[in-house]
Amino acid sequence: MSLIIRCPICGKRSAYEFRYGGEDKGPRPDEDSLTPESWCDYVHMNQCVAGIQKEWWCHRDGCGLWFTIHRDTINNLEVQHPEAQS
Amino acid sequence: MNRLEKLPTLRINPAHPISFTYKNKTCQGVSGDTIATALYANGIRIFSRSLKYHRPRGLYSLDGESCNTFMEVDRIPNVCAETTRLRDGMTVNAQNVKGTPEFDLLGFLDKLDWAMPAGFYYRSLHKPAWIWPIALKQVRKAAGLGKIAPDFHIPGKYDEIYPQTDVCVIGGGAAGMSAALAAARQGLRVILLESRPWLGGFFDYRTVEYAGGVPLYRRARDLVQQLEQTPNVRIFTHTAMIGAYHHNLITAFQKGTETDHFDERYIEIQAQSIIVATGCIERPLLFENNERPGVIQIGCAHRLAYSFGVLPGKRAVFSVGHDLGIEAAIDLFDLGLEIPCLADIREDGQDAYLVARLAERNIPLLRGWIAVQAHGKTVKKATLSPIDGSQQRDIECDLLVASAGMTPVTAPLSLLQATLSFDDHTGFFLPIKLPPQVHAAGRLLGLTNSLSIEASGRLAGISAAADCGRQDVSKLNEAREELSRLPGPQRGSKLVTAPLKGRKTFICFDEDTTVKNIRQAIQMGFDEPELVKRFTAAGTGPGQGGIPGHNLPLFIAQTNSDGDVKTKATTVRAPLVPAFIATYAASKHDMCKRTPVHDMQEKAGGMMRRIGVWQRARYFSQDLSCREEIENVRNNVGMLDASTLGKFRIWGPDALKALQRMYVSDISRVCEGKIKYSAMCNEDGCIIDDGVIVKRAENDYYFTTSTGRAGSTVEWFRYHTRYDGWNFYMVNLTDVFGVINLAGPNALRVLEKVADTYLSNEALA
Ligand SMILES: [Zn+2]
């Protein structure tokens, strides 16, 4: 696999060292008004964008941190400052 | 042993003999030999029989361009003898042979070629349908490469590494070495890959002058020395690139030497910038019986003598299409090879200095002449003719050194998604558009001048350094200017076939595809090289198109007289060289953890089994029903090693909150010093783990998980609390504590002895 991920603590490392944690969907929905449908949506409904996606990774074979990166899903490259671009 | 021992270019050590067995006879090679060069030195000319027609095949090239020298070595089939180093005690045998390679009982198939036109397999063997399974069996028996026993386990040690680098240079010839040095001098980390066991490429075995009286091989060794003294260059020799993937990920296979800890090694390189300097191989000359043992390529003849000390024959006819052929003839003549004549496809354009040296040696140069036929099971005679076919001349010889021109090794560039286009001047497929952070240098660009080759390497090295953030504009311009002052690409020959049209002119050796087969395919309407390749199987063999790769598109373009058919290369795919699956799999690292009572259990006769990352006793009885063991637990007491369970401590202000989220039970109801059993679910509500939770103090808990999930529990907790910013700490204590599970009516009594105090169910409640 040819993906290089920048861990905020350890720096650029091979993606073999990381575990993917899915796309970033924001905090869990509030439990007070939670319905099975809204929970199901939160768990299963993904954006699956073809383009820049914010997503979670865990540096499993390194420092153990969970963090987010922006990755272009079309060319599988980490993008450094997508907010600055848009 | 008949070796030329005095040559300064030698890559063998004649003082170190190596014994091996071929056809149950002991043979001698020397240190530095490949299996093929050792066999050749022992007089072996027929190495195998071909796939379809069982024609004799011999040493033709030295870099594995065809499967002519595929042999069975130490019971491993399809070992490429020309790229495999000879080792002491090797057992070598020919394959796809009924009888011996010299007298093959299936040799008669060669006469049945009329029954096997292009695509006969698909077109004729399915009518009626019931004939297919029967025919398939018979075809399989007669055709093919080596055989492997179903229960065969490949021996050897396999390894894998995953290096990262700034610049990766593919090809360790003069261009590659110059590129590596240039990039390294900009302060970058460089990896240099070379498929041969040593660096040097086209310079390595040649004695002609480089500059200032220094011969080429000396220059190559100087470059090697400079590289070896550059600590930021990592050199991998005997390492063939096999694939290229997204973002400059390069994969390669390395063959180990006696001192390495592996026999083959998988290397996966992540590079910022890549330089392809893979040079050229030779483009085979197509004529009748062009693959007979005794017909060899120029580089093969030249290197057999100058690298391996083996004079390839006694009397050799040359039929060449470029100056390297003239140079080889001169060099080999000087070692005692008799050369009745040298035919050159080109009417003019030969290097004047080389022509003069040829004349000094009274070797007749036949301009515009070409070999049209080889005679004999191994070559006994060659027929030459002018290109227009107007006359013929037979010359006796035991060697026919033949080559139509050069073929750039563009496969790495293709895999890297470079756009290649046919160039009329060189006759090469040249890169016209390179992807970002990919560079090409050296002979594969059509350069033939030594200084140009090195200069293009330096330019590529400096350009690659710029990709890695070491921009040096003045150096870059300097390198560009230097290259522009030097000679550019040389005109290349595009001729493919001799004028005589026979039935046994082979465009692909691996698949026994003849020029006639290609014509049949074109007549049937297959006009694209990709389609012809599939229909005739040309270029689909283990040589990966090394023999037909360049000739096939040239021939199709020349045969299609429409004129609007463009010369198109066929697609290449990884792996670029044949490789053992064992190398991909690498070694089975059987790493495991042992519990604190491991030795004790083993001593007690425990049968240890793998459970997750651990070894644990499964049972202790010889009786597989384990009846006695079970009864003892039921009626008395039994002990189970549960040390493999996951064990954790979690504490901090938000520890309880985290546990409440992870477990299905209300953990807040667990009192201090008490224990509770509960389960964990995933987001779908499926149970994924279970264990016990002990409250040690306020917001300080100890809990257990199953063996399998011990490794991912901390990650799991952190994942499900990743948005909350809760404050808690976790420690994985799995390897810190042993656990023993006591069961049976007498469990409490045993525990009492250990605990040294009175215990009862009431007291524990
Ligand atoms: Zn890290």
Side-chain angles (χ1 to χ4, degrees):
Chain A
M1 187 167 42
S2 59
L3 175 59
I4 298 283
I5 292 172
R6 190 186 293 271
C7 167
I9 294 174
C10 310
K12 279 184 178 179
R13 306 291 303 171
S14 161
Y16 283 127
E17 296 178 8
F18 296 84
R19 178 195 180 130
Y20 183 53
E23 61 185 54
D24 180 60
K25 291 187 266 191
R28 296 154 75 98
D30 195 6
E31 280 178 29
D32 293 337
S33 55
L34 192 63
T35 62
E37 285 75 21
S38 58
W39 176 249
C40 182
D41 283 354
Y42 175 73
V43 172
H44 296 294
M45 298 309 277
N46 293 309
Q47 296 298 314
C48 299
V49 294
I52 293 166
Q53 164 174 300
K54 188 178 180 188
E55 59 193 21
W56 287 89
W57 287 88
C58 174
H59 197 188
R60 174 165 40 183
D61 297 343
C63 61
L65 184 74
W66 279 101
F67 58 93
T68 56
I69 63 163
H70 291 87
R71 180 176 61 99
D72 190 335
T73 59
I74 292 171
N75 60 18
N76 203 28
L77 274 179
E78 189 180 343
V79 186
Q80 283 313 316
H81 299 293
E83 277 96 5
Q85 283 167 10
S86 57
Chain B
M1 181 107 348
N2 230 350
R3 295 286 176 122
L4 308 157
E5 299 192 358
K6 293 270 145 37
L7 296 170
T9 50
L10 284 187
R11 289 296 186 175
I12 51 158
N13 186 353
H16 280 127
I18 291 179
S19 297
F20 66 104
T21 313
Y22 176 63
K23 288 200 298 188
N24 300 319
K25 279 194 208 99
T26 306
C27 301
Q28 294 282 317
V30 297
S31 155
D33 260 332
T34 65
I35 298 170
T37 59
L39 286 171
Y40 201 91
N42 278 274
I44 304 300
R45 291 296 175 267
I46 302 176
F47 282 66
S48 68
R49 289 279 172 156
S50 69
L51 181 91
K52 211 156 73 170
Y53 303 133
H54 280 252
R55 285 169 68 90
R57 293 282 160 86
L59 189 64
Y60 184 73
S61 65
L62 285 173
D63 291 309
E65 288 95 332
S66 71
C67 64
N68 279 14
T69 59
F70 275 28
M71 311 192 92
E72 191 182 291
V73 179
D74 296 334
R75 292 187 64 214
I76 305 173
N78 304 331
V79 173
C80 183
E82 57 195 62
T83 58
T84 305
R85 237 185 295 235
L86 186 71
R87 287 191 192 184
D88 214 35
M90 266 180 167
T91 304
V92 180
N93 277 303
Q95 57 185 32
N96 199 32
V97 160
K98 287 255 181 308
T100 67
E102 288 77 17
F103 301 100
D104 181 7
L105 296 175
L106 290 175
F108 70 90
L109 284 167
D110 193 21
K111 302 258 175 353
L112 297 181
D113 62 308
W114 54 270
M116 298 181 249
F120 83 98
Y121 204 76
Y122 327 110
R123 290 192 296 131
S124 52
L125 296 181
H126 61 91
K127 274 186 240 165
W130 56 263
I131 209 157
W132 173 247
I134 299 164
L136 181 78
K137 241 184 180 167
Q138 295 308 316
V139 169
R140 280 275 150 83
K141 260 192 231 166
L145 299 165
K147 287 196 173 58
I148 192 161
D151 61 345
F152 178 68
H153 283 268
I154 194 163
K157 298 180 295 272
Y158 300 90
D159 191 21
E160 54 191 330
I161 51 169
Y162 297 81
Q164 288 187 38
T165 186
D166 298 315
V167 179
C168 178
V169 182
I170 301 151
M177 288 195 286
S178 305
L181 279 171
R185 280 173 187 157
Q186 299 292 312
L188 295 165
R189 293 173 307 160
V190 178
I191 283 180
L192 176 59
L193 305 179
E194 168 55 45
S195 61
R196 289 182 189 157
W198 48 78
L199 299 171
F202 272 98
F203 281 22
D204 178 68
Y205 57 92
R206 291 163 64 201
T207 52
V208 294
E209 188 187 359
Y210 161 74
V214 176
L216 282 179
Y217 75 89
R218 252 293 104 223
R219 171 63 182 170
R221 281 153 175 73
D222 286 347
L223 287 170
V224 173
Q225 203 178 16
Q226 288 177 46
L227 280 167
E228 282 167 355
Q229 287 163 358
T230 313
N232 46 334
V233 179
R234 194 169 173 192
I235 301 166
F236 291 95
T237 51
H238 225 177
T239 305
M241 171 190 168
I242 51 165
Y245 303 88
H246 279 167
H247 315 138
N248 292 350
L249 186 86
I250 299 289
T251 55
F253 281 134
Q254 182 179 21
K255 296 192 180 194
T257 63
E258 268 82 354
T259 52
D260 284 318
H261 64 279
F262 57 86
D263 294 299
E264 272 204 22
R265 176 154 83 169
Y266 173 74
I267 306 179
E268 195 176 296
I269 302 156
Q270 184 69 60
Q272 282 226 45
S273 191
I274 290 175
I275 297 165
V276 179
T278 35
C280 287
I281 54 173
E282 275 166 66
R283 191 159 61 78
L285 183 65
L286 305 191
F287 52 90
E288 194 64 357
N289 301 325
N290 60 321
E291 33 65 89
R292 278 294 187 220
V295 179
I296 65 173
Q297 293 194 318
I298 293 163
C300 180
H302 211 164
R303 287 171 60 205
L304 267 177
Y306 279 81
S307 298
F308 298 99
V310 182
L311 198 61
K314 288 190 177 70
R315 190 175 149 89
V317 169
F318 278 66
S319 177
V320 305
H322 52 91
D323 285 343
L324 286 172
I326 305 178
E327 188 186 316
I330 293 163
D331 280 356
L332 290 167
F333 179 90
D334 290 350
L335 294 181
L337 187 70
E338 202 184 318
I339 302 176
C341 67
L342 184 142
D344 194 325
I345 296 165
R346 301 167 296 173
E347 301 275 3
D348 52 51
Q350 292 89 348
D351 183 86
Y353 173 66
L354 288 173
V355 172
R357 290 178 69 198
L358 213 51
E360 276 168 29
R361 288 160 180 80
N362 290 322
I363 302 171
L365 169 64
L366 306 173
R367 293 174 203 258
W369 279 62
I370 187 170
V372 291
Q373 191 169 1
H375 306 266
K377 193 187 223 171
T378 61
V379 172
K380 300 273 181 293
K381 194 170 73 176
T383 306
L384 300 181
S385 157
I387 287 172
D388 60 12
S390 57
Q391 55 165 303
Q392 287 188 13
R393 195 185 294 175
D394 285 355
I395 301 164
E396 282 186 16
C397 58
D398 66 346
L399 195 70
L400 175 50
V401 184
S403 175
M406 303 305 282
T407 295
V409 183
T410 50
L413 285 172
S414 302
L415 290 183
L416 288 160
Q417 313 286 317
T419 312
L420 301 173
S421 171
F422 185 72
D423 174 66
D424 211 51
H425 177 64
T426 50
F428 283 9
F429 289 100
L430 293 181
I432 49 166
K433 196 164 167 269
L434 289 166
Q437 291 159 339
V438 173
H439 308 272
R443 194 175 278 273
L444 92 165
L445 297 176
L447 300 171
T448 51
N449 179 283
S450 304
L451 298 174
S452 310
I453 286 167
E454 286 189 5
S456 82
R458 277 193 294 277
L459 175 61
I462 294 162
S463 307
D467 292 341
C468 307
R470 300 288 162 91
Q471 189 95 33
D472 191 333
V473 180
S474 68
K475 265 222 164 85
L476 199 64
N477 288 335
E478 207 176 288
R480 256 194 213 116
E481 252 168 56
E482 187 194 7
L483 185 59
S484 68
R485 279 198 304 271
L486 291 162
Q490 208 180 35
R491 179 166 59 95
S493 157
K494 288 185 277 288
L495 190 111
V496 179
T497 55
L500 196 78
K501 313 266 191 292
R503 275 160 46 191
K504 296 292 168 53
T505 302
F506 287 85
I507 196 161
C508 176
F509 301 174
D510 292 2
E511 301 290 336
D512 260 356
T513 313
T514 61
V515 165
K516 195 178 164 203
N517 294 149
I518 306 295
R519 285 210 188 89
Q520 285 166 339
I522 293 171
Q523 269 157 26
M524 278 183 252
F526 298 98
D527 53 350
E528 286 278 325
E530 289 290 2
L531 296 175
V532 176
K533 173 180 169 183
R534 274 158 192 75
F535 190 65
T536 64
T540 59
Q544 287 282 32
I547 297 291
H550 197 180
N551 271 337
L552 184 71
L554 285 182
F555 182 76
I556 291 168
Q558 286 165 16
T559 309
N560 269 314
S561 47
D562 304 2
D564 59 343
V565 180
K566 269 174 99 183
T567 313
K568 266 186 261 177
T570 53
T571 310
V572 292
R573 292 176 181 84
L576 293 181
V577 294
F580 293 137
I581 292 174
T583 314
Y584 273 116
S587 60
K588 222 170 94 196
H589 297 291
D590 193 26
M591 291 193 288
C592 64
K593 292 184 183 179
R594 292 174 167 202
T595 73
V597 288
H598 183 94
D599 293 345
M600 192 200 293
Q601 292 185 102
E602 227 169 22
K603 232 178 256 168
M607 296 307 293
M608 307 309 280
R609 290 283 183 274
R610 191 73 189 235
I611 167 159
V613 293
W614 296 88
Q615 282 236 310
R616 200 168 76 176
R618 192 82 185 87
Y619 53 86
F620 290 83
S621 320
Q622 290 302 314
D623 165 25
L624 281 183
S625 74
C626 299
R627 194 184 172 85
E628 236 182 312
E629 251 180 84
I630 293 164
E631 276 178 354
N632 195 51
V633 177
R634 296 268 174 202
N635 304 326
N636 184 19
V637 64
M639 176 176 134
L640 175 83
D641 178 14
S643 307
T644 63
L645 293 180
K647 300 173 273 292
F648 298 88
R649 188 183 161 198
I650 180 169
W651 76 101
D654 298 316
L656 179 59
K657 268 197 223 162
L659 289 171
Q660 289 286 57
R661 177 164 288 174
M662 309 314 295
Y663 281 102
V664 295
S665 313
D666 185 357
I667 308 299
S668 68
R669 293 175 58 189
V670 183
C671 307
E672 210 168 298
K674 296 291 178 190
I675 190 165
K676 181 174 178 60
Y677 171 85
S678 187
M680 287 190 216
C681 286
N682 68 7
E683 289 173 322
D684 289 322
C686 299
I687 291 178
I688 55 155
D689 206 355
D690 69 337
V692 296
I693 305 103
V694 178
K695 183 168 181 180
R696 303 177 76 238
E698 203 55 33
N699 272 317
D700 187 354
Y701 294 83
Y702 168 87
F703 67 93
T704 69
T705 70
S706 61
T707 301
R709 283 187 58 85
S712 56
T713 294
V714 172
E715 192 178 306
W716 181 254
F717 269 64
R718 293 287 177 203
Y719 180 72
H720 288 288
T721 57
R722 69 196 186 280
Y723 288 107
D724 302 293
W726 289 345
N727 186 3
F728 62 87
Y729 308 96
M730 285 182 85
V731 182
N732 188 339
L733 300 166
T734 305
D735 302 346
V736 178
F737 299 126
V739 171
I740 283 170
N741 179 317
L742 268 180
N746 288 327
L748 209 55
R749 288 177 59 194
V750 173
L751 193 61
E752 233 169 46
K753 284 194 171 177
V754 182
D756 211 18
T757 176
Y758 173 74
L759 293 168
S760 71
N761 282 333
E762 294 73 39
L764 289 168

